[in-house]
Amino acid sequence: MGADPHGRFVEIYEHAYEPILGYVLRRCRDPEDAADVVAETFTIAWRRVEELPDGDEARLWLYGVARRVLANHRRGELRREQRTEALREHLASLSLLAHARSPEEDFSPVGRVFRTLSDGDRELLSLAAWERLDTGQLATTLGISRNAVRIRLHRARKRFARGLAMAGIDHPRAVMFEGSSL
């Protein structure tokens, strides 16, 4: 083998990319999966460039690698599908979800005001109220400082209280939502 593994890899890649891509595209459900399989195949080839056979044998070697990567991909898809189905069954059995509303359903007046808040405000208030995270836990979860959490939480609560007031909802603390204190 030559002293230039990079050059050898580029030569093999240019020669074999299209045939390998075609092989994989004919065996994958969608192009994104095919792209992942081809990328993994050539990543393995790069790592093992010293082991690649010469000439057209390299392309055949890559077909073998792609075949094994596809098999791993299919096994992974099957495992994900099985886990997803098990999770669906588990969630369907939870009484908590039996009373869950779809996004299209009408919410209480407080819920409607809550839905008008920004995604960030809703997430912050939900983590504080429903998940009962304290300032330190919120900081860790959000990847920001405790001080930033305090400021953002204060502002989110004020925006929520203002929204409640504008909707004519009078609450002494103006921070109650679905039975949880915000």
Side-chain angles (χ1 to χ4, degrees):
M1 163 138 34
D4 182 20
H6 178 265
R8 182 154 190 268
F9 176 81
V10 169
E11 180 183 317
I12 290 168
Y13 179 86
E14 288 173 351
H15 175 72
Y17 176 78
E18 285 187 27
I20 297 299
L21 177 61
Y23 171 82
V24 172
L25 280 170
R26 287 185 289 278
R27 288 159 178 79
C28 280
R29 291 183 195 173
D30 60 68
E32 290 83 12
D33 288 343
D36 290 345
V37 169
V38 169
E40 178 68 17
T41 298
F42 281 100
T43 299
I44 292 168
W46 172 250
R47 277 188 257 141
R48 298 178 62 188
V49 70
E50 299 292 331
E51 299 172 35
L52 284 170
D54 292 326
D56 198 45
E57 293 291 316
R59 181 176 55 89
L60 302 177
W61 185 88
L62 286 167
Y63 279 131
V65 171
R67 190 174 146 270
R68 288 185 290 281
V69 171
L70 276 165
N72 286 339
H73 178 75
R74 287 186 187 120
R75 282 191 294 275
E77 278 184 331
L78 181 61
R79 282 191 301 271
R80 273 188 301 281
E81 288 169 5
Q82 290 170 340
R83 282 190 232 124
T84 300
E85 185 56 34
L87 180 59
R88 273 192 199 108
E89 290 173 10
H90 175 70
L91 291 175
S93 72
L94 295 176
S95 62
L96 172 69
L97 295 180
H99 304 293
R101 297 178 182 159
S102 71
E104 297 80 30
E105 287 186 70
D106 191 26
F107 286 88
S108 69
V110 173
R112 283 193 293 275
V113 170
F114 186 75
R115 290 189 66 191
T116 66
L117 297 173
S118 71
D119 289 343
D121 283 354
R122 283 195 316 266
E123 180 67 8
L124 184 59
L125 293 172
S126 296
L127 287 169
W130 295 332
E131 310 311 325
R132 301 190 188 286
L133 300 185
D134 64 28
T135 305
Q137 293 167 326
L138 286 166
T140 301
T141 300
L142 299 173
I144 59 177
S145 71
R146 287 176 181 233
N147 192 48
V149 166
R150 285 185 202 99
I151 291 167
R152 289 181 187 182
L153 192 54
H154 174 75
R155 290 177 180 164
R157 285 176 172 155
K158 283 182 77 168
R159 284 188 284 271
F160 188 36
R162 209 170 20 254
L164 289 170
M166 288 173 50
I169 300 169
D170 185 34
H171 189 279
R173 291 179 55 206
V175 292
M176 297 299 287
F177 183 68
E178 297 291 322
S180 295
S181 174
L182 295 180

